[in-house]
Amino acid sequence: MTRILITAVVGAVLSGGLGYLLLPVLRALKAGQSIREVGPTWHNYKAGTPMMGGLMFIGAVIICLVCNLPFVSDYSVYFVLLLALCFGAIGFIDDFCKLKKKQNMGLTSLQKALLQMAVSALFLYVMYRTGGMNCHLYIPFLNVTFVIHPIVYIFFAMFVMVGCVNAVNLTDGVDGLSSSVTIPVMIFFTAASVAMGKFDLALLPACLTGGLIAYLFYNWHPAKVFMGDTGSLFLGGVVCAMAFALDMPLVLILAGFVYMMETLSDIIQVAYFRATHGKRFFRMAPIHHHFEMCGWKEEKIVLVFTAVSAGMCLLAWVSIQGRIG
C-alpha cells in the first residue's frame, strides 16, 4: 500500500516537472490547437494554445511503472499500460495530422475506428490467453456472474472499449473537464484493485491520479495547454482496460457515467436533428457545451461534472461490495 501511495506522489511530481519542460517545447514547435468551426464561437480565443499536453502524465506513468518493474509480480498492469499507450499513439498521430494540416481534422473517423478495434482485439486476446481476463460478465449490485462464450465476449468487449475510449475523448471539450472527471474514476479503480488484492494493478491508476492532479495546474481555465487526442485517448484506454482487467466491465456504466452522458447527448442531438429536419434537442452537443450555452462558466461545468463523477464512483463502489467483500 505504501508503494502505491509513493507512486501516486511521484506521478504528480513527474507530471508537473515534465509539464514545466514540455510547455516551452510545444510553444516553440507552434503545436497549437485549431478550434472547430462547429464549436462555440467564444472558444476561438483558445486557438494556438499548445496541445499534446497529455504527454506529461503519460510520461509520468511510463517512468513510474518502469521503476516499479523489479517489484511487480502481476504483469497485467503492463498490458493495461500498453493498451493505453496504443490508444495514445493513435491520438498522437491524429494530433500530428492536425498540426501538419493546420486544421482540426486529423485521421478520419473510419481510420480511428479501425485502429482502435485492432488495438482492442489484440489486448483482449493477450489478456485472455495469459489468464489476465476471463469471460465472466459480473453484474454490479446483483453480485451474479454469467459465463459468456469467448468469441461473443471479445466482440462485446471490443464494442465497449472503442465506445468508452471515444466517450472519454468527447469529454475533453472544456478546460480541465476530462482530467477532473477522470480523477475520481482513477481513485475508484485504485481502491477496487487494492480491495481485490491486485496491488500491482493499482499502481497505474494511482500514478495517473497524481499525474492528472499535476496536469490540472496547466490545464485549469484558462488552459495553458490541452491534452489533445494523445492524452484523451490514453485516458480512455486506461479507463476501459482497468474495467476489463478487474473483470467487471459493466461498472463503467456507473464509474464512467459522465462519459456516457456526453456520448448519449451527442447521439440524441444527431438523431433528433435528423428526425425533426433541423431542430435541436440541446442548444449544443455534447452536453457540456449545452450548459455553456445556458450561461454556465467553464469552472462551474468542471466542478459540477466532477462532483457527479465522484458521486457515481461512490455508487460504483457500493455496487461491487459483493465482489470485493
Side-chain angles (χ1 to χ4, degrees), residues 94-111:
D94 191 42
D95 286 337
F96 181 80
C97 290
K98 292 174 185 176
L99 293 175
K100 189 175 181 179
K101 297 176 183 177
K102 300 297 182 183
Q103 62 183 37
N104 204 51
M105 292 300 293
L107 296 174
T108 66
S109 297
L110 179 59
Q111 288 172 330

PDB file of all heavy atoms in Angstrom, residues 94-111:
ATOM      1  N   ASP A  94      -3.226  11.414 -34.758  1.00  0.00           N
ATOM      2  CA  ASP A  94      -4.329  12.325 -35.072  1.00  0.00           C
ATOM      3  C   ASP A  94      -3.921  13.778 -34.809  1.00  0.00           C
ATOM      4  O   ASP A  94      -4.149  14.666 -35.641  1.00  0.00           O
ATOM      5  CB  ASP A  94      -5.552  11.945 -34.239  1.00  0.00           C
ATOM      6  CG  ASP A  94      -6.813  12.659 -34.699  1.00  0.00           C
ATOM      7  OD1 ASP A  94      -7.033  12.769 -35.915  1.00  0.00           O
ATOM      8  OD2 ASP A  94      -7.576  13.116 -33.831  1.00  0.00           O
ATOM      9  N   ASP A  95      -3.310  14.017 -33.649  1.00  0.00           N
ATOM     10  CA  ASP A  95      -2.849  15.368 -33.306  1.00  0.00           C
ATOM     11  C   ASP A  95      -1.793  15.853 -34.292  1.00  0.00           C
ATOM     12  O   ASP A  95      -1.804  17.025 -34.713  1.00  0.00           O
ATOM     13  CB  ASP A  95      -2.269  15.396 -31.884  1.00  0.00           C
ATOM     14  CG  ASP A  95      -3.345  15.325 -30.807  1.00  0.00           C
ATOM     15  OD1 ASP A  95      -4.497  15.690 -31.098  1.00  0.00           O
ATOM     16  OD2 ASP A  95      -3.027  14.907 -29.681  1.00  0.00           O
ATOM     17  N   PHE A  96      -0.869  14.965 -34.657  1.00  0.00           N
ATOM     18  CA  PHE A  96       0.197  15.347 -35.586  1.00  0.00           C
ATOM     19  C   PHE A  96      -0.374  15.729 -36.943  1.00  0.00           C
ATOM     20  O   PHE A  96       0.064  16.711 -37.560  1.00  0.00           O
ATOM     21  CB  PHE A  96       1.192  14.196 -35.736  1.00  0.00           C
ATOM     22  CG  PHE A  96       2.345  14.508 -36.647  1.00  0.00           C
ATOM     23  CD1 PHE A  96       3.420  15.251 -36.181  1.00  0.00           C
ATOM     24  CD2 PHE A  96       2.358  14.071 -37.963  1.00  0.00           C
ATOM     25  CE1 PHE A  96       4.486  15.555 -37.017  1.00  0.00           C
ATOM     26  CE2 PHE A  96       3.413  14.372 -38.811  1.00  0.00           C
ATOM     27  CZ  PHE A  96       4.489  15.116 -38.336  1.00  0.00           C
ATOM     28  N   CYS A  97      -1.379  14.977 -37.402  1.00  0.00           N
ATOM     29  CA  CYS A  97      -2.026  15.295 -38.682  1.00  0.00           C
ATOM     30  C   CYS A  97      -2.710  16.665 -38.625  1.00  0.00           C
ATOM     31  O   CYS A  97      -2.684  17.426 -39.593  1.00  0.00           O
ATOM     32  CB  CYS A  97      -3.042  14.214 -39.046  1.00  0.00           C
ATOM     33  SG  CYS A  97      -2.310  12.623 -39.499  1.00  0.00           S
ATOM     34  N   LYS A  98      -3.333  16.950 -37.471  1.00  0.00           N
ATOM     35  CA  LYS A  98      -3.987  18.249 -37.307  1.00  0.00           C
ATOM     36  C   LYS A  98      -2.969  19.388 -37.384  1.00  0.00           C
ATOM     37  O   LYS A  98      -3.205  20.404 -38.028  1.00  0.00           O
ATOM     38  CB  LYS A  98      -4.715  18.309 -35.953  1.00  0.00           C
ATOM     39  CG  LYS A  98      -5.912  17.391 -35.833  1.00  0.00           C
ATOM     40  CD  LYS A  98      -6.454  17.415 -34.413  1.00  0.00           C
ATOM     41  CE  LYS A  98      -7.588  16.411 -34.241  1.00  0.00           C
ATOM     42  NZ  LYS A  98      -8.064  16.351 -32.842  1.00  0.00           N
ATOM     43  N   LEU A  99      -1.837  19.187 -36.722  1.00  0.00           N
ATOM     44  CA  LEU A  99      -0.803  20.219 -36.731  1.00  0.00           C
ATOM     45  C   LEU A  99      -0.217  20.396 -38.128  1.00  0.00           C
ATOM     46  O   LEU A  99       0.049  21.519 -38.565  1.00  0.00           O
ATOM     47  CB  LEU A  99       0.304  19.846 -35.746  1.00  0.00           C
ATOM     48  CG  LEU A  99      -0.074  19.843 -34.263  1.00  0.00           C
ATOM     49  CD1 LEU A  99       1.078  19.342 -33.415  1.00  0.00           C
ATOM     50  CD2 LEU A  99      -0.501  21.231 -33.814  1.00  0.00           C
ATOM     51  N   LYS A 100      -0.026  19.290 -38.810  1.00  0.00           N
ATOM     52  CA  LYS A 100       0.562  19.349 -40.153  1.00  0.00           C
ATOM     53  C   LYS A 100      -0.373  20.049 -41.131  1.00  0.00           C
ATOM     54  O   LYS A 100       0.057  20.838 -41.980  1.00  0.00           O
ATOM     55  CB  LYS A 100       0.876  17.941 -40.642  1.00  0.00           C
ATOM     56  CG  LYS A 100       1.676  17.886 -41.928  1.00  0.00           C
ATOM     57  CD  LYS A 100       2.061  16.464 -42.276  1.00  0.00           C
ATOM     58  CE  LYS A 100       2.890  16.419 -43.565  1.00  0.00           C
ATOM     59  NZ  LYS A 100       3.292  15.033 -43.920  1.00  0.00           N
ATOM     60  N   LYS A 101      -1.686  19.773 -40.988  1.00  0.00           N
ATOM     61  CA  LYS A 101      -2.668  20.369 -41.900  1.00  0.00           C
ATOM     62  C   LYS A 101      -3.122  21.754 -41.437  1.00  0.00           C
ATOM     63  O   LYS A 101      -3.829  22.453 -42.166  1.00  0.00           O
ATOM     64  CB  LYS A 101      -3.902  19.454 -42.004  1.00  0.00           C
ATOM     65  CG  LYS A 101      -3.622  18.081 -42.607  1.00  0.00           C
ATOM     66  CD  LYS A 101      -4.875  17.214 -42.576  1.00  0.00           C
ATOM     67  CE  LYS A 101      -4.621  15.817 -43.105  1.00  0.00           C
ATOM     68  NZ  LYS A 101      -5.835  14.963 -43.009  1.00  0.00           N
ATOM     69  N   LYS A 102      -2.740  22.121 -40.183  1.00  0.00           N
ATOM     70  CA  LYS A 102      -3.161  23.390 -39.602  1.00  0.00           C
ATOM     71  C   LYS A 102      -4.692  23.522 -39.555  1.00  0.00           C
ATOM     72  O   LYS A 102      -5.263  24.556 -39.862  1.00  0.00           O
ATOM     73  CB  LYS A 102      -2.578  24.577 -40.384  1.00  0.00           C
ATOM     74  CG  LYS A 102      -1.063  24.614 -40.409  1.00  0.00           C
ATOM     75  CD  LYS A 102      -0.481  24.793 -39.020  1.00  0.00           C
ATOM     76  CE  LYS A 102       1.046  24.868 -39.070  1.00  0.00           C
ATOM     77  NZ  LYS A 102       1.638  24.980 -37.714  1.00  0.00           N
ATOM     78  N   GLN A 103      -5.358  22.412 -39.195  1.00  0.00           N
ATOM     79  CA  GLN A 103      -6.811  22.417 -39.059  1.00  0.00           C
ATOM     80  C   GLN A 103      -7.192  21.408 -37.986  1.00  0.00           C
ATOM     81  O   GLN A 103      -6.342  20.685 -37.481  1.00  0.00           O
ATOM     82  CB  GLN A 103      -7.496  22.077 -40.385  1.00  0.00           C
ATOM     83  CG  GLN A 103      -7.165  20.689 -40.924  1.00  0.00           C
ATOM     84  CD  GLN A 103      -7.799  20.428 -42.278  1.00  0.00           C
ATOM     85  OE1 GLN A 103      -7.888  21.310 -43.107  1.00  0.00           O
ATOM     86  NE2 GLN A 103      -8.235  19.206 -42.499  1.00  0.00           N
ATOM     87  N   ASN A 104      -8.480  21.356 -37.632  1.00  0.00           N
ATOM     88  CA  ASN A 104      -8.915  20.498 -36.537  1.00  0.00           C
ATOM     89  C   ASN A 104      -9.402  19.132 -37.005  1.00  0.00           C
ATOM     90  O   ASN A 104     -10.176  18.486 -36.326  1.00  0.00           O
ATOM     91  CB  ASN A 104     -10.028  21.200 -35.731  1.00  0.00           C
ATOM     92  CG  ASN A 104     -10.089  20.668 -34.305  1.00  0.00           C
ATOM     93  OD1 ASN A 104      -9.086  20.621 -33.624  1.00  0.00           O
ATOM     94  ND2 ASN A 104     -11.264  20.251 -33.870  1.00  0.00           N
ATOM     95  N   MET A 105      -8.976  18.701 -38.166  1.00  0.00           N
ATOM     96  CA  MET A 105      -9.338  17.384 -38.672  1.00  0.00           C
ATOM     97  C   MET A 105      -8.070  16.594 -38.947  1.00  0.00           C
ATOM     98  O   MET A 105      -7.249  16.990 -39.776  1.00  0.00           O
ATOM     99  CB  MET A 105     -10.172  17.512 -39.955  1.00  0.00           C
ATOM    100  CG  MET A 105     -11.550  18.117 -39.730  1.00  0.00           C
ATOM    101  SD  MET A 105     -12.594  17.175 -38.598  1.00  0.00           S
ATOM    102  CE  MET A 105     -12.843  15.694 -39.569  1.00  0.00           C
ATOM    103  N   GLY A 106      -7.881  15.482 -38.218  1.00  0.00           N
ATOM    104  CA  GLY A 106      -6.711  14.638 -38.408  1.00  0.00           C
ATOM    105  C   GLY A 106      -7.084  13.368 -39.140  1.00  0.00           C
ATOM    106  O   GLY A 106      -7.448  13.389 -40.308  1.00  0.00           O
ATOM    107  N   LEU A 107      -7.019  12.242 -38.430  1.00  0.00           N
ATOM    108  CA  LEU A 107      -7.452  10.975 -39.007  1.00  0.00           C
ATOM    109  C   LEU A 107      -8.958  10.999 -39.230  1.00  0.00           C
ATOM    110  O   LEU A 107      -9.697  11.665 -38.512  1.00  0.00           O
ATOM    111  CB  LEU A 107      -7.094   9.822 -38.061  1.00  0.00           C
ATOM    112  CG  LEU A 107      -5.604   9.563 -37.793  1.00  0.00           C
ATOM    113  CD1 LEU A 107      -5.459   8.496 -36.721  1.00  0.00           C
ATOM    114  CD2 LEU A 107      -4.891   9.144 -39.066  1.00  0.00           C
ATOM    115  N   THR A 108      -9.417  10.236 -40.214  1.00  0.00           N
ATOM    116  CA  THR A 108     -10.853  10.132 -40.441  1.00  0.00           C
ATOM    117  C   THR A 108     -11.469   9.252 -39.360  1.00  0.00           C
ATOM    118  O   THR A 108     -10.773   8.485 -38.687  1.00  0.00           O
ATOM    119  CB  THR A 108     -11.157   9.530 -41.820  1.00  0.00           C
ATOM    120  OG1 THR A 108     -10.698   8.158 -41.846  1.00  0.00           O
ATOM    121  CG2 THR A 108     -10.462  10.320 -42.928  1.00  0.00           C
ATOM    122  N   SER A 109     -12.777   9.345 -39.211  1.00  0.00           N
ATOM    123  CA  SER A 109     -13.477   8.529 -38.205  1.00  0.00           C
ATOM    124  C   SER A 109     -13.273   7.046 -38.475  1.00  0.00           C
ATOM    125  O   SER A 109     -13.093   6.250 -37.537  1.00  0.00           O
ATOM    126  CB  SER A 109     -14.969   8.867 -38.216  1.00  0.00           C
ATOM    127  OG  SER A 109     -15.181  10.211 -37.856  1.00  0.00           O
ATOM    128  N   LEU A 110     -13.288   6.656 -39.750  1.00  0.00           N
ATOM    129  CA  LEU A 110     -13.099   5.249 -40.110  1.00  0.00           C
ATOM    130  C   LEU A 110     -11.696   4.783 -39.760  1.00  0.00           C
ATOM    131  O   LEU A 110     -11.520   3.680 -39.205  1.00  0.00           O
ATOM    132  CB  LEU A 110     -13.365   5.048 -41.606  1.00  0.00           C
ATOM    133  CG  LEU A 110     -13.184   3.607 -42.132  1.00  0.00           C
ATOM    134  CD1 LEU A 110     -14.119   2.656 -41.408  1.00  0.00           C
ATOM    135  CD2 LEU A 110     -13.398   3.553 -43.641  1.00  0.00           C
ATOM    136  N   GLN A 111     -10.700   5.596 -40.046  1.00  0.00           N
ATOM    137  CA  GLN A 111      -9.322   5.228 -39.731  1.00  0.00           C
ATOM    138  C   GLN A 111      -9.139   5.033 -38.233  1.00  0.00           C
ATOM    139  O   GLN A 111      -8.529   4.054 -37.786  1.00  0.00           O
ATOM    140  CB  GLN A 111      -8.369   6.310 -40.242  1.00  0.00           C
ATOM    141  CG  GLN A 111      -8.210   6.347 -41.752  1.00  0.00           C
ATOM    142  CD  GLN A 111      -7.417   7.558 -42.222  1.00  0.00           C
ATOM    143  OE1 GLN A 111      -7.437   8.628 -41.592  1.00  0.00           O
ATOM    144  NE2 GLN A 111      -6.712   7.411 -43.337  1.00  0.00           N
TER     145      GLN A 111
END
